[in-house]
Amino acid sequence: MDALIARDLRLAGADLSSWLPGLLFFVFFIMVSVIAIGPEARILRDMAGGLIWLALLFSLILKVSDLFQRDMMTGMTEQIFLSGQSKLQFVIAKAVSVFLIHLIPLLIIIPIVGFVLGLEAQQGWAMTLSVLVAAPALIFYVLMTAAILSRQRTGGFIAVIMVLPFLIPILIFGVAAAESADSSSLYSVEIKALLGLNLISMSVGIPAIVAALKANIHQVT
Amino acid sequence: MINYLANPSNFLRFQRIATPVIGLVIFLTSLALGLWLSLYASPADETQGEVVRIMYVHVPAAWGSMMAYTALTIASITSFVWRHRLADSAARAFAKVGIVFAFLALATGSIWGKPTWGTWWQWDGRTTSMLVFFFIYAAYLLIWSMVKPWNRAARLAAILAMVGSINIPIIKFSVEWWSSLHQPATLSYIGAPGMPSELLRPLLMMAWAYASLFAWASLMFIKADVMALRARRQSSRPISSVTIKKL
Amino acid sequence: MTLPDHRLCFRNVAARRGNSLLFAGLNFDLTGGDLIWLQGPNGSGKTTILRLAAGFLVPEKGEVFWKLEAQDAVPEELVAYQGHQDPLDTELTVSQTLNFWTDMYNSQMDIAKCLTLAGLANKQTVACGKLSAGQKRRLVLARLLISNRPVWLLDETATMIDSGGEHLFHSILSDHLKRGGSALLAAHRPVQKIGATASRLVLGAA
C-alpha cells in the first residue's frame, strides 16, 4: 500500500499537469462565476458556499474521472491485480493518493477563495471543514466513475452525468454544513449526515470500484 | 418459470404468445377502462376542478418509473452474479421503459403544475428527485451505448444500477430534506391512503395499464436484443486450427 | 532455490474474439520445466491463449484450471504475465520502477542482480521514458526475474531486443526452466529448444 501511494506521489511530482489544472480550474470557475453573477458583495457572500462546493465538485470530477485510464491502457492495472496485493488495499491507496494530490491543494485554497468572496475567516474555515468531512464520500464515488470509465477515452461529460446523482446528497449536506457552521457545529445534523454518507460510499464504492476495474481488465469471450 | 425463460429459444417462443396477449388484450382493455374511469366515471376535484384528471396519467408514470428501477436492479443482480445474457437484455429493456416513464412523469407533472401551482416548474423535493432519477437512467443507458464489447458494457452497467439502487433512497431523502429547508411543503399529495375510492379506482386501473405497457414494451425490447445477438453470432467454424508438436 | 510445483491445464477450450470463434478443442498441460511456443499469424489467438492462462479471460467453452500441490497456493500468485505493451511509468527511473515491483510482489530478489542479468546495470537512474524500445523490453525481463513467479506468460517479449539481448533472454529462460519454472511464449521469431519437454503449439489457418 505504501508502495502504491509512493508511486502516485512520485508521478504527481514528476508531472504537474496531472493535478495543477484541477487547482487552476477551481479558481477560474469561481472567477467566471463572479463575472457572470456580478460583483455585488452581499449576493456573492450568499452564494459563496454553493459556488465553492460546485467548483470543487467539477474540479474533482473532471480531473479524477480519468484517473485509472492511463494505468488501464498501459496494462499497469492488470499487472497490479496479478501482483498478489489485496485489491482492497489498492483502492484505499488510490483514495489516499487522490486525497493527498488532488484534494489537499483545494482544501488549502478554499479559505482564500472564501475570503475573496467576502466570507468571514471563520466561515471560510467552516467551508474547509465541510469538504474535509465529506472527502471520503466524494473520493469514492468519483473513483467509482473513474473505474467504470477507465477504458473510455472520452469520458468527461458522461463522468459528470454518472457521478453527480451520487454526489447530490453530499452537495446538499456539505453546503448546509458549511452555511450553518459555528464553533459547535462539529456535532450538527449535517456533519453527522456527511459521516453517514462516508460509510455508505465506502461500503458500496470499494466493491464497485474493484468490480468495475475487473470488468475492464477481464473479458468473457 | 424463470429457469425455463432463461433459455433464449424458450423465451422467444414464450414472447410470441405473451407479447400480443399483454400488448393487445391486457394493455388496451385496461387503458380503455382506465381512461373511461378517469375521464367520465370520476368526479372533478373541488379545488382543482377538471385539472385533477392529469393525476391519472402522472402518478402511475412516477410509480412505473420506480417499478422499472426495481426490475432493473433485480435483473442487474442476476446478470452480475450469474452472467446471464437474457438478464442483461432485460435490464437494458427495463431501463429504456423506465426513462420514458420518468420523462412522462416530469412532463405531466409540469403540465399539472401550471394550473395548480401557477408555474410550469417548481423545484420541490419530489420533482427534483424525479429529475435526478431521470439522469440516473440516462447514465445507465449511456454506458450501454458507449462501452464495447457487449458483455463488458453489461457488467459495468449492472454495477452502476446496483450502486444506484442503494443510493436512490438516500438521494430522495436528502433532496426532500433540502427542499424542506428552503420552503415549507405546500402541496399535500393526492394518492395518500385517505383517498376516496372514486379517485382510487381510476388511479389503480391506470397503474395497471402502465404496468402492462411496461411488460409489453420490455418484451419487445428484449426480443429485439436477443434477435440482434443471434444475428451477430453466426460463425461457429474456428479461425485457427490447433496442432501441438515437439520442438 | 526452486519454484513451487504447478500444473496449468487447458481442457477442450474454445474462445471467441468479438463475434468470431478463434479456436476450439484446445488441450494442453503446462508444468515445471515445460516451454510451449505459441506460433501463428496475427489474429490467430496467441494473445487470447496467454490471457486465458493469466485468468483475464473466461473461455467460451471448456475449462482452464490449475492443479497445485500446496493447499494454500493462489493461482493468481503463480503467473507473471507480459502483454505486448510495456506497463512502465515514463516518469520514474529504472530503479524506482523495480523497487515498486519488489514491494508489490513482496519479493526477496536482489534488484541489482536482476538488473545485471537483464543488462541494465548502468541504467538505474534513467527515466523509463528515456529508454529505447529494446531497453524497455529488457526492463520487463528484469521485472519477470523480480516477480519470482513459476509460470511466465510472455507475449513477444523477445522482439525489439538486439541479438545480444536475445541471447540473454535465452539464458534467463533456460535458468527459469531449470529451476522448475515453466513458460508459455508467443513469438514470431523461432524459439530455440530448451528443456526436454519443449513443444510448439501452432495456430494455423483452418
Side-chain angles (χ1 to χ4, degrees), chain C residues 22-88:
Chain C
L22 280 173
F23 49 79
L26 176 61
N27 283 293
F28 69 85
D29 279 26
L30 185 74
T31 186
D34 282 357
L35 168 74
I36 299 180
W37 171 25
L38 303 175
Q39 201 188 0
N42 296 116
S44 57
K46 300 190 293 291
T47 300
T48 304
I49 294 178
L50 290 173
R51 291 187 74 83
L52 281 165
F56 292 146
L57 279 176
V58 179
E60 162 104 358
K61 279 197 196 100
E63 270 186 295
V64 178
F65 59 94
W66 293 85
K67 281 183 188 160
L68 304 170
E69 294 291 314
Q71 290 293 321
D72 56 342
V74 186
E76 263 186 12
E77 293 180 14
L78 291 172
V79 300
Y81 169 78
Q82 175 53 46
H84 38 74
Q85 299 158 304
D86 298 316
L88 299 173

Side-chain angles (χ1 to χ4, degrees), chain C residues 121-187:
Chain C
N122 55 347
K123 298 280 184 230
Q124 292 207 31
T125 54
V126 178
C128 293
K130 296 223 165 75
L131 295 176
S132 73
Q135 285 166 334
K136 282 180 186 160
R137 277 332 224 182
R138 284 168 184 256
L139 183 52
V140 164
L141 271 181
R143 205 197 74 217
L144 281 177
L145 291 170
I146 283 181
S147 78
N148 203 23
R149 298 270 169 100
V151 182
W152 286 0
L153 310 168
L154 307 179
D155 205 346
E156 299 292 352
T157 298
T159 43
M160 313 290 287
I161 291 188
D162 53 30
S163 59
E166 210 166 352
H167 186 72
L168 189 88
F169 174 61
H170 187 256
S171 71
I172 287 176
L173 191 60
S174 74
D175 270 0
H176 174 67
L177 296 179
K178 269 184 214 135
R179 287 173 60 211
S182 59
L184 203 54
L185 216 65

Side-chain angles (χ1 to χ4, degrees), chain B residues 66-139:
Chain B
M66 305 206 188
M67 184 182 76
Y69 203 93
T70 313
L72 170 61
T73 308
I74 294 167
S76 296
I77 294 170
T78 312
S79 147
F80 192 81
V81 177
W82 290 285
R83 295 178 185 260
H84 201 288
R85 302 211 140 201
L86 208 58
D88 297 326
S89 302
R92 196 181 177 185
F94 297 155
K96 284 178 184 168
V97 187
I99 195 171
V100 173
F101 280 7
F103 178 78
L104 264 180
L106 286 169
T108 53
S110 170
I111 294 168
W112 194 12
K114 183 64 185 166
T116 45
W117 297 336
T119 168
W120 292 107
W121 189 266
Q122 175 107 343
W123 289 101
D124 72 319
R126 208 176 291 272
T127 315
T128 312
S129 54
M130 185 50 82
L131 187 63
V132 177
F133 199 36
F134 175 85
F135 278 114
I136 292 178
Y137 273 127

Side-chain angles (χ1 to χ4, degrees), chain A residues 189-204:
Chain A
V189 180
E190 292 86 353
I191 297 284
K192 280 179 192 155
L194 286 176
L195 292 174
L197 290 174
N198 284 343
L199 284 180
I200 295 165
S201 80
M202 275 187 253
S203 51
V204 174

Side-chain angles (χ1 to χ4, degrees), chain B residues 129-220:
Chain B
S129 54
M130 185 50 82
L131 187 63
V132 177
F133 199 36
F134 175 85
F135 278 114
I136 292 178
Y137 273 127
Y140 175 87
L141 287 169
L142 273 171
I143 292 187
W144 273 108
S145 65
M146 250 178 107
V147 177
K148 303 275 176 294
W150 202 83
N151 36 36
R152 177 172 289 154
R155 233 164 151 67
L156 294 176
I159 293 168
L160 187 76
M162 290 189 289
V163 174
S165 72
I166 293 165
N167 274 274
I168 283 168
I170 301 168
I171 296 169
K172 208 167 155 43
F173 164 77
S174 54
V175 168
E176 262 151 35
W177 182 84
W178 162 82
S179 105
S180 73
L181 205 65
H182 293 273
Q183 80 212 27
T186 46
L187 190 79
S188 71
Y189 194 57
I190 316 179
M195 198 172 184
S197 66
E198 57 266 34
L199 299 184
L200 200 59
R201 225 178 298 126
L203 189 63
L204 290 179
M205 187 45 76
M206 285 303 282
W208 178 245
Y210 268 82
S212 44
L213 175 64
F214 169 75
W216 174 74
S218 303
L219 279 174
M220 297 287 278

